[in-house]
Structure formats: structure tokens, C-alpha cells
Amino acid sequence: MELDQRSRIEAFWAWFEGKRIDLASPQPSDQTIAELDRRLADLGVRNWELGPGTVEANSLIISPGGEADRLGLVTEIVDSAPLVKGWEWHHAKPPKNWKLRFEMDISGRQVTIDGHDWEFLLYRFKDRTYDIVFHPLVQQGLSKDDLLT
């Protein structure tokens, strides 16, 4: 890692430590979020996410955003992170611990949907947007109109 990049990464983490309380709040200030975005962009990071951690209360995910050539960069940044109480770091989005079950109100009755019985197809477009199409393998008692919803 070149010295300038190392210095910028160290400066980023020093700044982050100073803002960790605001960033851990349910509603971090717009100014702090804008500054986080700017500082990560200055390091070459385009994709990041704040949220609950898998072990600690909070996490910062610095993601390559599906761009393999950025994995080394984000790994380098995350590997340089200090230990900060209540925080964990990830160089990619960890798997979600979803139960894949939800309820829908269909004509006044509650229907439980089990997403384990579904397939999905993800489309990525040139403008870096995505579309996802879900297809249930089992109708689960739903009409075609309900399934399209």
C-alpha cells in the first residue's frame, strides 16, 4: 500500500472513532453521514452501509459493490480498522439472518408466506441499478393476482 493511501486510511479511521457515537445513533446527523460518504469516496469506496452488527451492536460494511477489482481496496481499508467498542467491520455484506417468512393481508385474512419456497432472479443494469423478480414455487393458497402483488 502506498504511503499516501495508508495515511488517508488511518485518517479515516481516526475520524470514524471520533464520530462513532453519532454514527451508532438511530438517526445519525445528515452532516456526519455526508462526511462519512465523502471520506469513503476519497478512498475510492462507492458502496457502504451502516447497520446492526452480527456480534457487536453496530457495523460498517465497506463493499466492493460487485466490482471484483475493488475487493482488494475495501479489504485493505477494513483490515486497517482499529478495535472500536460496539463496532464491527466487514469488507462485503454478510449474509442476512432472515427467516424468509412474512404475512400479507389478503381480502381481510392474514396469510403467512414462506419465502423458502421461492426462487428469485436478479437483473443488473448498466446504470448500476437492479431489478429483482420473485417466483414462488408453491402457490401457498394465493390467487395469481395475489402472487403478482
Side-chain angles (χ1 to χ4, degrees):
M1 164 174 28
E2 69 182 58
L3 185 57
D4 184 43
Q5 179 75 344
R6 179 176 293 151
S7 297
R8 292 183 316 151
I9 290 171
E10 288 172 3
F12 167 76
W13 286 117
W15 172 85
F16 190 97
E17 283 186 274
K19 296 294 184 177
R20 71 186 182 281
I21 294 171
D22 186 18
L23 290 166
S25 72
Q27 289 291 323
S29 74
D30 290 344
Q31 181 180 357
T32 300
I33 293 297
E35 182 70 8
L36 174 63
D37 188 58
R38 186 193 64 75
R39 286 176 177 266
L40 286 170
D42 287 349
L43 292 174
V45 173
R46 297 181 190 152
N47 298 61
W48 58 270
E49 181 180 310
L50 288 173
T54 55
V55 175
E56 297 292 339
N58 307 288
S59 71
L60 172 63
I61 300 165
I62 301 174
S63 171
E67 298 179 45
D69 61 325
R70 294 191 173 276
L71 183 58
L73 169 68
V74 298
T75 300
E76 184 178 2
I77 294 168
V78 170
D79 287 351
S80 300
L83 291 175
V84 177
K85 185 175 174 61
W87 282 90
E88 61 188 60
W89 326 110
H90 300 276
H91 65 273
K93 292 182 180 183
K96 302 292 185 190
N97 188 19
W98 292 341
K99 297 191 183 348
L100 295 177
R101 291 176 191 224
F102 58 94
E103 291 189 355
M104 288 179 63
D105 182 17
I106 307 286
S107 302
R109 67 182 173 97
Q110 289 294 104
V111 177
T112 300
I113 307 296
D114 185 349
H116 289 99
D117 298 327
W118 291 35
E119 292 180 341
F120 71 92
L121 183 60
L122 184 65
Y123 295 97
R124 180 178 180 188
F125 301 103
K126 290 180 183 177
D127 67 354
R128 299 181 49 85
T129 60
Y130 297 86
D131 190 16
I132 187 168
V133 177
F134 293 96
H135 179 263
L137 299 176
V138 178
Q139 261 188 296
Q140 299 179 359
L142 300 175
S143 70
K144 283 191 174 191
D145 286 344
D146 292 336
L147 289 172
L148 289 173
T149 299

